[in-house]
Amino acid sequence: MTKVYGTGVYDFRRHRVAEYPTSDQQPQQPDSKPSTTPTSITLVEIQRDRLTKIAEANWSKTAKEGGVVYNEELVKEIYEKELLVKDDGKARRTVVLQRVMILEVSQYLENYLWPNFDPDRSSFEHVMSMILMINEKFRENVAAWICFYDRKDMFKAFLERVLCLKEGRSLSIAEKTNYLLFMINAFQSLEDDIVSKKIMKLASLHCWHSLSFGRFQMELCLNPDLIKKWKRIAKKAKEAKKRGESFDMSVMLEVKFLRNLIEEFLEVLDSKVFYQGDENGGSSVHGIDQINEASILYCERFMEFLIDLLSQLPTRRYFKPLVADVAVVAKCHLSVLYRHEKGKLFAQLVDLLQYYEGFEIDDNLGRQMTDDEVLQAHYERFQAFQLLSFKKIPKLKELALANIGAIHKRADLSKKLSVLTPDELRDLVCNKLKLVSKNDPWTERVDFLVEVMVSFFEKQQSQKESINALPLYPNEQIMWDESLVPSINYSGEGCLALPKLNLQFLTLHDYLLRNFNLFRLESTYEIREDIQEAVPHLLAHTNNEGQPAFRGWSRMAVPIQEFKITEVKQPNIGEVKPSSVTAEVTFSISSYRAQIRSEWNALKEHDVLFLLCIRPSFEPLSADEAENASVPQKLGLQFVRGCEVIEMRDEEGTLMNDFTGRIKRDEWKPPKGELRTVRVALDTAQYHMDVSDIAERGAEDVYGTFNILMRRKPKENNFKAILESIRDLMNETCIVPDWLHDIFLGYGNPSAAQWTNMPDLLDTVDFKDTFLDADHVRECFSDYQVVFTHSDGTENLNPGPPFRINIPRNLKGISHALPGNEKSTTDSVDVATKDIADSEKEKLIVEAYMPPDPGPYPQDQPKQNSVRFTPTQVGAIISGIQPGLTMVVGPPGTGKTDTAVQILNVLYHNCPSQRTLIITHSNQALNDLFEKIMERDVPARYLLRLGQGEQELATDLDFSRQGRVNAMLVRRLELLSEVERLARSLQLPEDVGYTCETAGYFWLLHVYSRWEQFLADCDKNQENPTFVKDRFPFTEFFSNTPQAVFNGKSFEEDMHAAKGCFQHLKTVFQELEECRAFELLKSTVDRANHLMTKQAKIVAMTCTHAALKRKDFLQLGFKYDNLLMEESAQILEIETFIPMLLQRQEDGYARLKRCILIGDHHQLPPVVKNMAFQKYSHMDQSLFTRFVRLGIPYIELNAQGRARPSLAQLYNWRYRDLGDLPYVKENSFFHRANAGFSYDYQLVDVPDYHGKGETAPSPWFYQNEGEAEYLVSVYIYMRLLGYPANKISILTTYNGQKLLIRDVLNRRCADYDYIGLPNKVATVDKFQGQQNDFILLSLVRTRFVGHLRDVRRLIVAMSRARLGLYVFCRRSLFEQCYELQPTFQLLLQRPDHLGLNLHEIAPTTDRLVGETGPVHLVKDTDEMTGIVNFRMQQLHEAIIRSHQYSDYSGHSASEGRIEQNGSPDLSSGHDMETDFQNLPTGDQPIRAETPNIDTNTNDDMQVDASAETSGVDKAASLNEEDSTVENSNMEQ
């Protein structure tokens, strides 16, 4: 049976790798001898670099083989000269980035530092060097802890050494920052057992020993449950003292560690941020030259550290009192840095820390507090303070008697406390309230004491209030705030004021709020990019009247002629912002040509537009000014506000693009004139903020300044609907199913939602067509002795499908989860042992039943599955049809889609009343899934496809809402005509088929009654074999069947057929009953909504559509019981969460019963455009990947049917037990070699081409001309051999290279019809989910490995090819990359020069894969180009000769010598043959690709192409799950 895996220790930490600029702004230290690595570092310079030479001599492979001895002094020298940053305070950098990168790439940590680490003897520099290497791995988002797994005990000793590193030693600010960064990374790795066991002790209850006595008493009073736990700790200490052991808790490492870190931070904040020695002593606001940038970075990083600890429940529970005891937030608020212009990011981080310190959660129980509970706790706390004041502090009697609502605001409370003297205030805060320790020197400051009091007692804004007060559209202040929306070139060296998506979340509100902020800021980044693209085209200038004017034009932006606010409605009760604000914008489209006019005319309701105010400077900026100016200053951009279209009218005031039904279709007229007026809804929260600024501060009226209206591409402009969905979820009682709630937040038992732990299981499952035969059942339940029975319980000796199985709850092979770093150890046993084992196996009862006859017509027969599912797939199907959470990891080519479809099929038949929602990331994947569902026994009337991609479905049926409504109406007429025919056959009036209602009465009165009478008569005449044939009441109706219904020989057989006929009639009237609603509902909208909410049993849509339309689904009362997500590892966290909540809860409970997530976390994650959100906030984390990291059990499909077994070895090492299906092992198609090539896969080393390797015309736009030319030459070579173009795809890892390859293809191939262009030229990222027979892959880089270090990108790149993969790259660079070793070691077992078999001239060969034949190794790009050019020249001469021969023989040259596909027909012509025989290699005639070759010559290729789901023409858009081989493999 299948294995279910839980990750336990996850075998890689982070795997997001980004590309960063390699500029080095840190000046080289005077005493360091190596030359500074320049901004644009070349491979030659890296090879000449001092560090590279040291690596080669000491820890490279050759050095190991030579027995080089470890040198501790070398480690010290490297640290001091290369890694240690001079502590001059001017630079924010903590390391010299390039030096660290070179060391990390050379495997300094894996090959030198870690193998030679000794906890007792290793120096400080050794430990710090390891810390820096680990930090660099996290910065580059590659596996950081994996190299430590081989020596876990030593790693524990390493961590202990790290924690004690500061003892007796003073660290520089840069070293403190690096140390702190290591701790941040360690606390972000709590899923790794080797890290968490030691690190979690630092934030345990032991750290309360460092609390002040007053705070300690307060916390124990608030958490009485902890008193017992504390007494146990105290008891251990007493017992240790009795034994004579020294057991002083106050000096234990985990007790003081965090407290010491906080105190060290406060010291830096107070005295190190600004230079000492000036006249003000460093306490006032200084100039820029007096600021210590390194200290500011340290302070920012420390805020990040505190936020991380408070935003995870395991660390928050005991750490929060420590933060409150030291009053970190209050001290930060009062610091100089908080108010300084350089401290903007620090201030934002402090505010974020304050938010998490006061988060609405019960820290002890981990339960989200409701708004009422928060308010009640606030009132109780304030009431207790008032009571204390009344009794003990006469001066505060006024405060004690006041209404809480009048004094719980900051200003009011501060004013009331001002009556106390400093000593009285200190006594109140430290002794009576015990908020801070009286020994804290800060208590001498009155402002500090007031800040502590106010922070503790003031009413905080609730999470709902804060999210409702946020505008959904970004404004100009947020857009260009680099700490919130960083530029694309975020290097990972600094921190940002952004929330992080971690493994765990405090509450659902915390989850939603983090996602809301990140999604909003990611959208802001994209909008900012669009503004920067559109505005410059307008050529803004100031005219003679001093007004802004525009010389140019932009496709996406148009000048506004008039803007006016038309209506501002009163606020809703309990709110201050208006309920709605509407405005009218008038603009002209006269300057646009027809196509762009139509785009502006296509604006419709709910489209989002942006209003801009542009004021260009009167004179152009000078070069120096332009260099220092911000983007808004360069553009003259003053204000940005978003709005949503309500309606648009033309010059005559006629409504355009109305979808509400106000304008009937036949009354529609094309728009008139060139002026357009759009009525828009402004953001009410932003409007309230703007109006408040005008009233309170005298700010400029923003709404009187707009002069540009900007639109965006519709597909990229759906952010507002998604943000509204998140905000609505925050405002609702957000109900996640109880069985999923804790797991979703990252707590509790990871296997709690597994089906074996769920109630209400399906005891007996009808598997329908899942199993093809009895042997298939035995294979899938090999842990059992399978016993087949008849329906009456007797043993069945000749069983056949379908089967019903009683599923035991403790089903063997699926009920347990293995830790993620363990392999399954199922070994083969000998035959004798196996026989004994079989006799001892537990019995599994399988019922082989005879299905009822579906009817006598061919269309009545159910569609049958032909895929022979593997035992693992059957395990996934069993898990999927049972309640709970099912996670299926599908490696490339393992039939994820087939498994998903069979889950849906079996689920439909076992739970026919339940509804299932299908969600995918892309339209293509959804269509692939939907097309396969239609091939199963699920009636088309129960299928519905929502969204824009429906038209791409490769089917004659229309599965959109409108299409299904039309189909139901057509089907209604067909069925009613059948009812009329039935009435005629029974000699009854035909008007019974007038409506569905009359047909229903006809069924009860005339059809069903006759059937009941017939059954009663049959019971009395079972001995008469002809009775059924003679007395069946509907014989005349079924007289048109293809074969006779009854044979009159056997009563049982005829009775079975009669029941089939009745089943046909029953289905007809059941369908009519379902059509009845379409008679009663008259409007198309009502009919479509009924279809979606009541009739459809399987509804499919993309995650984006679900987020956009959530509000509509709720209003319509949409319901579903099961959720299946394909591609779930490619879907953002929030876009996975929203589809779980597209329905309202029923009586406070969630209806969702099953959640099935299918994906592959070893392939690429969701796309996040901004590197900062991806790297810093982990926004590209999918829910699927997070669940895997949390250790939730999953089933990993383990047999691939896509690629040759040899090709699959390039990536199957990444998976547990990924093998091959019998199909790819046995089919000769996979055994035959690639014609013209010596090997089926090869790494081709590409040297510098014209003295150049990689180039970057602009940042991150990497190109490699040598690889492009080489790769295109190989493509031409394949085409000349006759390989079909649609079977070849060209991939690369960078967009720049993709565009370069396209240019080369257009230059060298497009003009030749017989060569043409390949199936697709794409980046690896874009090609995920697709496949092709032959892949040519360019890796581009020659200096640094770049983002291919992300192992997931490598897996995608290696798993796209089915028959041939040729990788063009720089060997010397990629062979030394630690993360890529398993794949590149295999690749490098073969020659690194392309091996060709020049004697093969056809697209097929009888040579087997392992046979190379005569090998010609191509030296370089130029030689490959020469081979191709020579062959093309020969072919060109052959074509000319063929024309001459045609003319000579009296035929026209146009008579077919050039075939339809543009390829020359070289099948005749003796002269050509003799000419080709003169090739230097002795080749036979070159045959270009002809129709004959495509259709006849390569029979195997033809078979394969027909097996592919979408056929030859759609190979480019195939999804990986929809491959031929994956399906047909299982058939064979």
Side-chain angles (χ1 to χ4, degrees), residues 69-197:
V69 181
Y70 170 72
N71 182 358
E72 184 70 32
E73 291 302 317
L74 177 64
V75 173
K76 291 182 179 179
E77 182 192 349
I78 291 174
Y79 179 75
E80 290 169 357
K81 292 190 175 182
E82 303 288 357
L83 301 179
L84 191 61
V85 173
K86 184 181 177 183
D87 194 8
D88 58 5
K90 294 182 180 178
R92 286 177 63 89
R93 290 196 168 191
T94 57
V95 291
V96 184
L97 191 56
Q98 279 189 356
R99 315 308 286 162
V100 176
M101 287 173 70
I102 292 173
L103 283 170
E104 203 278 320
V105 167
S106 72
Q107 300 178 40
Y108 185 39
L109 174 66
E110 295 88 349
N111 292 348
Y112 203 63
L113 295 176
W114 176 235
N116 297 297
F117 172 76
D118 183 286
D120 299 322
R121 293 198 299 269
S122 291
S123 64
F124 168 84
E125 290 80 6
H126 190 136
V127 178
M128 278 303 297
S129 297
M130 290 181 68
I131 286 175
L132 289 176
M133 292 301 108
I134 292 169
N135 289 348
E136 175 61 14
K137 284 185 178 293
F138 272 89
R139 190 189 73 83
E140 296 219 28
N141 286 325
V142 294
W145 310 113
I146 193 168
C147 68
F148 301 112
Y149 286 158
D150 56 348
R151 296 197 297 163
K152 292 185 180 180
D153 290 338
M154 187 61 74
F155 182 71
K156 183 180 177 182
F158 165 70
L159 285 180
E160 288 174 353
R161 181 71 195 278
V162 168
L163 297 180
C164 303
L165 196 62
K166 292 186 178 182
E167 292 179 3
R169 187 179 183 108
S170 176
L171 274 62
S172 69
I173 285 293
E175 287 175 324
K176 286 179 180 178
T177 308
N178 289 326
Y179 185 87
L180 183 61
L181 185 54
F182 176 84
M183 298 309 301
I184 290 171
N185 293 331
F187 275 104
Q188 286 282 299
S189 306
L190 296 183
E191 79 274 22
D192 269 300
D193 285 347
I194 60 170
V195 180
S196 61
K197 284 177 183 175

Side-chain angles (χ1 to χ4, degrees), residues 1363-1381:
L1363 300 177
L1365 172 67
Y1366 301 95
V1367 182
F1368 301 84
C1369 67
R1370 183 63 57 88
R1371 170 179 177 160
S1372 57
L1373 175 66
F1374 288 93
E1375 70 177 335
Q1376 65 180 349
C1377 183
Y1378 179 74
E1379 290 78 17
L1380 313 183
Q1381 286 294 306

Side-chain angles (χ1 to χ4, degrees), residues 694-930:
I694 294 170
E696 295 169 10
R697 303 178 193 170
E700 183 178 7
D701 181 5
V702 175
Y703 298 93
T705 64
F706 297 131
N707 51 13
I708 292 294
L709 181 68
M710 193 191 88
R711 63 186 174 91
R712 300 178 68 220
K713 294 176 183 175
K715 283 188 177 180
E716 300 172 1
N717 209 23
N718 51 27
F719 70 96
K720 179 176 180 283
I722 295 174
L723 290 175
E724 277 184 329
S725 293
I726 302 173
R727 188 167 68 181
D728 291 344
L729 284 169
M730 282 284 290
N731 287 300
E732 295 169 10
T733 307
C734 190
I735 298 292
V736 172
D738 291 338
W739 52 268
L740 191 59
H741 182 273
D742 287 350
I743 283 176
F744 184 82
L745 293 177
Y747 305 110
N749 177 12
S751 60
Q754 195 180 1
W755 70 273
T756 51
N757 299 320
M758 294 290 291
D760 305 324
L761 296 184
L762 298 176
D763 295 325
T764 302
V765 176
D766 185 349
F767 281 91
K768 290 294 180 181
D769 55 1
T770 303
F771 301 103
L772 303 187
D773 49 48
D775 288 337
H776 193 188
V777 179
R778 293 189 186 98
E779 290 167 14
C780 295
F781 295 95
S782 57
D783 292 327
Y784 289 87
Q785 183 185 348
V786 179
V787 178
F788 293 95
T789 66
H790 292 287
S791 297
D792 57 4
T794 58
E795 188 172 358
N796 189 335
L797 299 177
N798 295 304
F803 301 105
R804 288 194 193 101
I805 303 178
N806 292 322
I807 304 292
R809 182 181 285 271
N810 58 343
L811 188 64
K812 292 179 182 176
I814 194 170
S815 60
H816 65 284
L818 292 180
N821 57 343
E822 288 184 18
K823 292 265 186 183
S824 108
T825 53
T826 311
D827 297 320
S828 59
V829 293
D830 58 44
V831 177
T833 311
K834 188 174 185 300
D835 291 339
I836 296 169
D838 283 346
S839 63
E840 296 173 353
K841 285 179 180 176
E842 188 180 334
K843 288 185 179 180
L844 182 72
I845 307 301
V846 178
E847 178 193 338
Y849 70 95
M850 174 67 74
D853 191 328
Y857 296 101
Q859 62 267 28
D860 292 331
Q861 302 306 311
K863 297 172 183 175
Q864 293 294 322
N865 160 57
S866 58
V867 175
R868 193 175 188 86
F869 292 107
T870 65
T872 311
Q873 288 174 313
V874 170
I877 292 167
I878 291 171
S879 179
I881 59 181
Q882 296 286 10
L885 174 66
T886 296
M887 291 191 40
V888 181
V889 173
T894 51
K896 294 189 287 288
T897 307
D898 289 306
T899 306
V901 166
Q902 195 62 19
I903 290 173
L904 295 169
N905 185 24
V906 177
L907 199 53
Y908 164 74
H909 287 287
N910 283 271
C911 307
S913 63
Q914 293 186 7
R915 295 158 56 81
T916 302
L917 176 64
I918 302 174
I919 298 289
T920 68
H921 173 251
S922 65
N923 279 307
Q924 179 61 44
L926 192 56
N927 291 339
D928 290 341
L929 194 64
F930 215 72

